[in-house]
Every structure is written in C-alpha cells, then in structure tokens.
Amino acid sequence: MLNIFTLANGRLFQEEIESLEELSKFQPIWVDLESPTLEEKRWVKQYYGLSIPDDAMDEDIEESARFYAEDNGDLHIRSDFLIADDDEPRTVRAAFILNLVNDDLKSKGVLFSIHDEDVPVFRLLRMRARRAPGLIEDAKEVLLKLFDADAEYSADTLEGIYDELEKVSKKVLSGNVTDAIAGEALGAIARHEDLSGRIRRNVMDTRRAVSFMMRSKMLNAEQFDQARQILRDIDSLDSHTAFLFDKINFLMDATVGFININQNKTIKIFSVASVALLPPTLIASVYGMNFEFMPELRQTWGYPYALGLMIASAVVPMWYFHRRGWLR
C-alpha cells in the first residue's frame, strides 16, 4: 500500500496512490509505504529518484547501520515501534529516509517511511494531524511527531500494565490463593513482564533515534526543544518501567510463595498421616510375631483387643495433632 500525505491549511491530508500518474499529481511531505510491492518501489524510484534498500526492514541489521547519512545527503533511520496487541505483543521495524540537501531530486523535503504492517503510532499521528491545524509543518516534524507519539503510546501501555497488575495483586494478596488462581496469576505476570521488556527496548530505540536527529543538526530551534522534551518523557518512562519490574518481581515471588505454601500443606498432611499410622503399624507388627508364649494369643478377646489398640493408637495422635492445629 502506498499512501502520500500533503499539507494544506496546516492539516495533513491522505491520498492512496494506485499508479505512477497519480503519484505525480501531488506535492507530499510524507510518503508511507506499508508492505510495498515491487511496482510501488519502482514508482518511488522512477518519480523521486529514491532507491529503497532491500534490507530496509531487516530485523537483524547491525546496530551501526540503523542511523546513518549517505554520501548524497539522505538520512536513514531504522527504528522499532510497539504494537501492544493482547494476544501477540510485538515490535515492528520501520525504515525512514529523508533528503534535506539534494535539490536535484524531487525527494527533497519528503519523508519516506517503509514498514510491513500498520502501526498504532502511525494511525495516531494521522488522526491528530487531520484534526489539529498547525501540528505538522514539514517532513522533519512528521518524523519527530512519530517518535513523540511512540513515547506517548508506550506510556499509555505502561499505565494499562499497571492497572492489570493491580487486578493480579488483589487476587494474589487476598490470602485465599488456590493453585488455579496462582497459575492464572503467573500467566498474567509473565505476559506483563514480556510487554514491559518490549516497551523498555522500544523507548531505548526511540531515544537513540531522537538523539541521532539532534546530532545530525537537521532540526530547527523549536524542533530541537521538542526533541529534548521527548527525551525527558522517555527518561520518565524508564523510571516507570523500573517500578513496574519491581512490582512484577514482587508479585512473582508472592505467587510462587503461595504455591509453595499450598504444596507444603499437602506434604504436611501426608507427613502427619504417616506419623499417626506408626503406632498401629508397631502394634500389628508385635502381634504378627510367631512366638509360642504370647499371653493374648489364645484369648478369645485377643483379636478385637489388638484391633481396638491399633485404632486407639491412631486416633489419639490425630486428636493431638488437631488440637495443635497441625492439620489446617
């Protein structure tokens, strides 16, 4: 899918392009390629003179090749954006190319973005730019606002994680934690820990991208201040994620502790039962001996006497254990 965004009256307007002829009718500041076909890449190269690298969205690209400037002045930024899906949270690699100096190409002043799937941050920026006049002024502002929206999206996701952890906390700390409840809690905690880790990695990547924009001296004074504000917001997110990891570790330890307590209760019951059955076993062993001179051996009351003695020897310890509260 190839979408272009033009700036008119301070608002961002979107057009979906389906041919090279349509592409030549507009003067966009942002060209967005979502899972682009070879034909769409050819249109971009033919009209703007821009070649999209084959490894633009590669996940294993080396770190040193994610933020760089080419000899022709094109700036390349490859950054990850979070998708906080309930079933499958993940990050999506997006590649940005921006020409600010080469006047010979029609790509000057146009931001090109390439990604494999739609990203919530991109939708959020498009919605805001349509409703808020003056939010976007140029291509650099588009890129900066994307990173700003990414930090905000991460912050909202962290708040959602905290709310979910509060629900887990109420279950775990209620005092009546069964194995089923503990299993559900462990599953929820593991999911939130994974998502928190993805958010921390995502904001770290956003920090690096914004820092690269500041170092490249591509921003004006106002945009530079916006970039510094984004970095301050990211610093606050670092503190928040650290707090959430502490809470996750506490809930994990508490849940595992309750599982151990439940297991100890089961083991304790078996231990008490085996101790209570030792006296009857001893009595049965004594009367199972085959000595000739045993007084009770020829008595008519010998057998019920032995049975009664075994029952009494089992009941008395159980009564004692119950009185001491060892069976709870």
Side-chain angles (χ1 to χ4, degrees):
M1 184 183 297
L2 175 59
N3 291 299
I4 65 169
F5 298 86
T6 57
L7 198 61
N9 299 323
R11 285 189 172 91
L12 208 60
F13 291 91
Q14 178 177 353
E15 298 286 344
E16 186 173 340
I17 301 300
E18 296 182 354
S19 68
L20 178 60
E21 291 73 21
E22 288 184 13
L23 187 62
S24 61
K25 294 178 182 178
F26 301 96
Q27 295 287 332
I29 66 167
W30 179 18
V31 176
D32 183 50
L33 297 97
E34 179 184 334
S35 298
T37 63
L38 292 176
E39 187 178 24
E40 289 170 342
K41 291 182 179 180
R42 182 177 56 81
W43 295 345
V44 171
K45 183 175 183 180
Q46 184 173 341
Y47 185 73
Y48 290 105
L50 179 73
S51 296
I52 298 174
D54 293 333
D55 63 348
M57 295 165 289
D58 248 354
E59 292 290 336
D60 348 347
I61 190 167
E62 58 187 26
E63 295 296 320
S64 59
R66 294 182 60 186
F67 310 97
Y68 64 95
E70 286 190 345
D71 295 337
N72 63 0
D74 286 350
L75 293 175
H76 288 253
I77 296 177
R78 291 163 183 176
S79 186
D80 296 330
F81 289 85
L82 179 70
I83 299 180
D85 186 73
D86 291 336
D87 298 326
E88 187 187 354
R90 60 198 180 277
T91 54
V92 174
R93 175 67 52 83
F96 299 99
I97 305 173
L98 180 59
N99 167 28
L100 296 175
V101 296
N102 195 337
D103 295 323
D104 298 332
L105 298 177
K106 294 179 181 179
S107 61
K108 183 181 180 183
V110 180
L111 174 69
F112 295 86
S113 57
I114 308 99
H115 49 98
D116 283 332
E117 58 181 302
D118 194 18
V119 181
V121 169
F122 284 53
R123 293 197 302 267
L124 180 61
L125 178 63
R126 294 196 295 263
M127 180 184 67
R128 287 180 174 175
R130 284 196 299 266
R131 297 179 179 178
L135 180 68
I136 302 295
E137 294 181 357
D138 56 22
K140 296 179 293 182
E141 195 108 41
V142 173
L143 185 55
L144 203 57
K145 292 297 183 183
L146 280 172
F147 290 129
D148 187 19
D150 188 41
E152 184 178 345
Y153 181 75
S154 297
D156 292 340
T157 307
L158 285 174
E159 290 179 2
I161 292 175
Y162 180 80
D163 293 338
E164 292 299 319
L165 286 177
E166 282 294 295
K167 297 177 183 178
V168 175
S169 179
K170 289 181 180 178
K171 290 182 180 179
V172 172
L173 302 180
S174 63
N176 185 23
V177 181
T178 63
D179 289 344
I181 293 176
E184 292 177 5
L186 283 177
I189 291 170
R191 288 193 300 273
H192 297 321
E193 193 276 339
D194 175 67
L195 183 54
S196 298
R198 292 178 184 275
I199 292 174
R200 171 167 280 190
R201 181 179 181 276
N202 182 67
V203 296
M204 180 181 65
D205 187 80
T206 303
R207 178 191 285 114
R208 294 182 60 208
V210 175
S211 298
F212 172 77
M213 293 177 67
M214 296 172 71
R215 290 195 308 272
S216 63
K217 299 179 181 180
M218 59 183 286
L219 306 175
N220 59 36
E222 183 179 351
Q223 292 169 345
F224 195 86
D225 289 338
Q226 292 178 21
R228 286 196 297 186
Q229 181 59 48
I230 294 173
L231 293 181
R232 284 194 290 267
D233 292 341
I234 290 175
D235 288 339
S236 67
L237 291 181
D238 285 339
S239 301
H240 199 171
T241 52
F243 163 74
L244 283 182
F245 275 120
D246 289 340
K247 188 175 183 65
I248 287 171
N249 289 332
F250 166 74
L251 290 176
M252 181 73 74
D253 292 340
T255 305
V256 172
F258 279 116
I259 292 176
N260 291 334
I261 289 173
N262 290 340
Q263 291 178 343
N264 290 338
K265 286 180 180 178
T266 304
I267 294 173
K268 183 178 69 174
I269 290 174
F270 281 109
S271 300
V272 168
S274 52
V275 170
L277 292 177
L278 283 177
T281 305
L282 177 62
I283 295 172
S285 301
V286 169
Y287 285 101
M289 297 178 183
N290 293 319
F291 295 115
E292 181 178 355
F293 299 102
M294 295 184 69
E296 300 87 1
L297 200 60
R298 301 184 183 278
Q299 301 295 331
T300 55
W301 45 264
Y303 178 68
Y305 169 76
L307 288 180
L309 196 58
M310 286 189 285
I311 293 173
S313 65
V315 169
V316 171
M318 293 296 289
W319 171 80
Y320 178 75
F321 295 154
H322 179 72
R323 285 285 303 272
R324 297 297 299 268
W326 293 353
L327 296 179
R328 296 194 184 96

